[in-house]
Amino acid sequence: MADERDGTFFVVRGPVEPGDKRGRELGFPTANIALRDQRGELGDGVWAGWAERADGTRVAAAVSVGRRPTYYGADGYRLVEAFLLDFEGDLYGERLTVWLGKHLRNQQAYGSSQELIDALGRDVAATREWVAAHPADALPKLAELPPDGEVQRLG
């Protein structure tokens, strides 16, 4: 797992794909990136990190990696869902590079949408705290960009 004490980050890159728009309905619209790794070598969970847009702009992000167990159980397709904090706009088709810096919690199925919304609110608060102490200009440099949908470990 990534942890600010040892400087380990995971990075994934890919085009933002349309999803089922459930995040938007819950008040947390996400940029979805398909993962090639469907076995889960990275491990599912919620992370604090950063997303870099095609123009180089970096935006703090609360990021879910996994199968969306509240709605799909163990049968869902694994993907990265990045909620870019304080961002409004259309990212469809844009290539994002996402740094996963701090593992916040494991994914879990919630009994209701409201329980999930409450958990997402806590995730966003934890992400804000983490990014305040880990500014985007301190992110590790990439020797080369990973192929779309592949996870690269840094550190």
Side-chain angles (χ1 to χ4, degrees), residues 50-67:
W50 290 93
E52 183 173 340
R53 299 189 61 202
D55 66 3
T57 304
R58 292 177 174 172
V59 182
V63 184
S64 173
V65 177
R67 301 184 187 282

Side-chain angles (χ1 to χ4, degrees), residues 17-55:
E17 300 178 352
D20 55 18
K21 299 190 178 17
R22 186 166 286 117
R24 183 176 299 160
E25 293 170 7
L26 298 174
F28 298 88
T30 59
N32 303 319
I33 300 172
L35 286 173
R36 289 185 183 184
D37 171 20
Q38 291 298 305
R39 294 181 317 277
E41 290 178 24
L42 170 61
D44 292 351
V46 177
W47 301 75
W50 290 93
E52 183 173 340
R53 299 189 61 202
D55 66 3

Side-chain angles (χ1 to χ4, degrees), residues 74-97:
D75 297 328
Y77 186 81
R78 290 188 78 242
L79 72 156
V80 168
E81 295 178 289
F83 172 62
L84 280 61
L85 280 59
D86 306 317
F87 175 82
E88 290 185 28
D90 181 0
L91 296 169
Y92 291 126
E94 185 173 328
R95 253 185 188 69
L96 289 183
T97 302

